[in-house]
C-alpha cells in the first residue's frame, strides 16, 4: 500500500531536478550536508564557498550538488550572478580598471623579503601595482640590504620601498632599516616572524597561529603544531589559496603595503616619519 520505505536510500541525493539551486549570496546561512558546520557565506568562487560560523571560524566547501542544508533541506549552492551595480573592486578593495594594460614600469621599486611575501603582495595588490607601473622584487632576507640600496642608487624620481618581516624595536631588522632609510628610501614592516602570520587564522580555520619554541625553524614548527602533512612550499600554497581579498589579512600588513605603494608612486611627496 505504501510502496517502498520512504527512509531508505540517500535522502541527500533526491531524483534529478528536485534539488533547488540557491545563489551563495553573502551572509546566507547554511550547513554542510553532514550537518557538522553551520555558517554564513563570506566568499564564493566558481569552485568553492567559504562559510564563517558565529565564532569567526571559517571553512571552505566545494560547490557540489546537494552539498548543503538550508532550513534543514538539501540545496545546491551556485556562484551568484555578477553584480551589475557599482564598480568592480580589486582584491585590495580599490576600484578595478577594466581592460587594464600594464603601464611601463617606473624606476621606483618595492622590495620584499622573500618569495612568499612577493606572492601575497601580488595576489592582493597585483592589479594596483600594474595600474601604477610598480615592480615588486624579493631580497632573500635583509642582511645585504645596505649594499642593495647603494647599488639601486635611489633618488627623487627613483624611490625604493622595502617591506621587512619582524620589524620591531631592538631587532636586527630595525637596525638595518635605520641604516638605509632616507628621503628616497622607506623601510616599513610588520611585527610577525613570517608573512604567514599576516593571514588571519580564521581564514585557515584555526584559532590562532601556534607558538614555536626558540631554536625550531618557524615554518616547520608551525606545520608540526598544526598537524599538516606537507612541506613548507605545499603549506604556503595551501595558505595562499585561502586568501581571496584584503579582508583576509591583518591590518598590520595592509597598512604597510599601502604606505609603500603611496611612497613609490608619489615621488614629489614629503617622506613621512
Amino acid at each position: 500500500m505504501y510502496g517502498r520505505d520512504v527512509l531508505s536510500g540517500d535522502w541527500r541525493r533526491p531524483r534529478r531536478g528536485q534539488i533547488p539551486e540557491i545563489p551563495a549570496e553573502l551572509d546566507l546561512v547554511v550547513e554542510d550536508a553532514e550537518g557538522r558546520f553551520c555558517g554564513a557565506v563570506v566568499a564564493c568562487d566558481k569552485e568553492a564557498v567559504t562559510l564563517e560560523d558565529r565564532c569567526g571560524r571559517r571553512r571552505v566547501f566545494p560547490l557540489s550538488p546537494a552539498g548543503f542544508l538550508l532550513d534543514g533541506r538539501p540545496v545546491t549552492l551556485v556562484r551568484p550572478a555578477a553584480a551589475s551595480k557599482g564598480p568592480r573592486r580589486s582584491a585590495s578593495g580599490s576600484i578595478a580598471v577594466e581592460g587594464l594594460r600594464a603601464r611601463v614600469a617606473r624606476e621606483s621599486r618595492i622590495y620584499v623579503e622573500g618569495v612568499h611575501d612577493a606572492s601575497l603582495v601580488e595576489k592582493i595588490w597585483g592589479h594596483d601595482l600594474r595600474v601604477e607601473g610598480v615592480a615588486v622584487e624579493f631580497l632573500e632576507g635583509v642582511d645585504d640590504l645596505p649594499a642593495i640600496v647603494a647599488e639601486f642608487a635611489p633618488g627623487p624620481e627613483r624611490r625604493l620601498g622595502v617591506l621587512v618581516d619582524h620589524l620591531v624595536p631592538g631587532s636586527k631588522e630595525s637596525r638595518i632599516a635605520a641604516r638605509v632609510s632616507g628621503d628616497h628610501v622607506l623601510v616599513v614592516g610588520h611585527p610577525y616572524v613570517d608573512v604567514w602570520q599576516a593571514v588571519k587564522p580564521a581564514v585557515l580555520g584555526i584559532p590562532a597561529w601556534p607558538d614555536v619554541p626558540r631554536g625550531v625553524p618557524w615554518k616547520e614548527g608551525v606545520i608540526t603544531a598544526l598537524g599538516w602533512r606537507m612541506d613548507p612550499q605545499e603549506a604556503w600554497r595551501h595558505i595562499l589559496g585561502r586568501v581571496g581579498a584584503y579582508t583576509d589579512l591583518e591590518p598590520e600588513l595592509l597598512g604597510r603595503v599601502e604606505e609603500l605603494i603611496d611612497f613609490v608612486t608619489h615621488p614629489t611627496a614629503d617622506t613621512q616619519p
Side-chain angles (χ1 to χ4, degrees):
M1 180 183 300
Y2 296 106
R4 66 185 183 87
D5 184 356
V6 296
L7 296 180
S8 65
D10 188 349
W11 63 270
R12 293 189 182 90
R13 298 182 182 276
R15 292 187 299 276
R16 185 177 180 84
Q18 293 187 349
I19 298 292
E21 292 189 348
I22 305 295
E25 302 285 356
L26 292 180
D27 298 325
L28 176 71
V29 177
V30 295
E31 295 179 82
D32 71 297
E34 301 297 328
R36 295 177 180 176
F37 191 89
C38 178
V41 173
V42 295
C44 184
D45 59 28
K46 64 181 180 181
E47 297 180 349
V49 62
T50 303
L51 304 182
E52 180 177 300
D53 69 11
R54 61 183 180 181
C55 297
R57 295 172 297 198
R58 292 188 180 188
R59 286 188 59 185
V60 179
F61 297 92
L63 293 175
S64 55
F68 302 89
L69 302 177
L70 177 62
D71 296 328
R73 297 181 178 274
V75 297
T76 297
L77 291 186
V78 296
R79 189 178 186 181
S84 59
K85 296 182 179 179
R88 187 172 66 86
R89 297 281 176 174
S90 71
S92 72
S94 64
I95 296 176
V97 178
E98 303 294 344
L100 170 69
R101 294 183 64 183
R103 61 177 291 175
V104 176
R106 300 172 183 262
E107 291 190 60
S108 297
R109 292 287 187 274
I110 292 176
Y111 285 172
V112 298
E113 280 206 55
V115 66
H116 292 181
D117 308 66
S119 58
L120 184 59
V121 169
E122 165 61 27
K123 184 161 189 179
I124 300 302
W125 290 275
H127 177 85
D128 308 55
L129 293 167
R130 283 185 283 277
V131 168
E132 298 290 351
V134 176
V136 175
E137 301 177 15
F138 61 91
L139 299 169
E140 297 283 359
V142 297
D143 290 347
D144 296 327
L145 186 57
I148 292 171
V149 172
E151 182 180 357
F152 183 81
E157 301 296 326
R158 184 178 170 81
R159 287 188 159 195
L160 180 61
V162 184
L163 179 69
V164 177
D165 296 342
H166 198 233
L167 189 61
V168 296
S171 65
K172 174 191 73 174
E173 291 81 3
S174 67
R175 292 191 292 272
I176 293 174
R179 290 175 56 190
V180 302
S181 296
D183 290 343
H184 311 304
V185 179
L186 176 63
V187 181
V188 300
H190 54 74
Y192 307 116
V193 174
D194 191 279
V195 76
W196 289 17
Q197 287 182 294
V199 177
K200 293 179 178 178
V203 173
L204 301 170
I206 60 177
W209 287 100
D211 292 326
V212 177
R214 285 184 175 275
V216 176
W218 192 85
K219 290 184 175 71
E220 287 78 0
V222 165
I223 291 169
T224 299
L226 294 177
W228 291 351
R229 296 185 177 181
M230 54 186 77
D231 62 31
Q233 291 303 321
E234 292 172 323
W236 175 242
R237 288 194 292 270
H238 169 71
I239 294 167
L240 190 63
R242 296 296 183 91
V243 175
Y246 72 98
T247 51
D248 293 329
L249 303 181
E250 299 287 1
E252 289 83 355
L253 177 67
L254 293 174
R256 302 295 75 74
V257 175
E258 297 286 353
E259 187 177 359
L260 289 176
I261 295 175
D262 186 65
F263 178 80
V264 299
T265 56
H266 295 80
T268 59
D270 293 333
T271 303
Q272 297 297 317

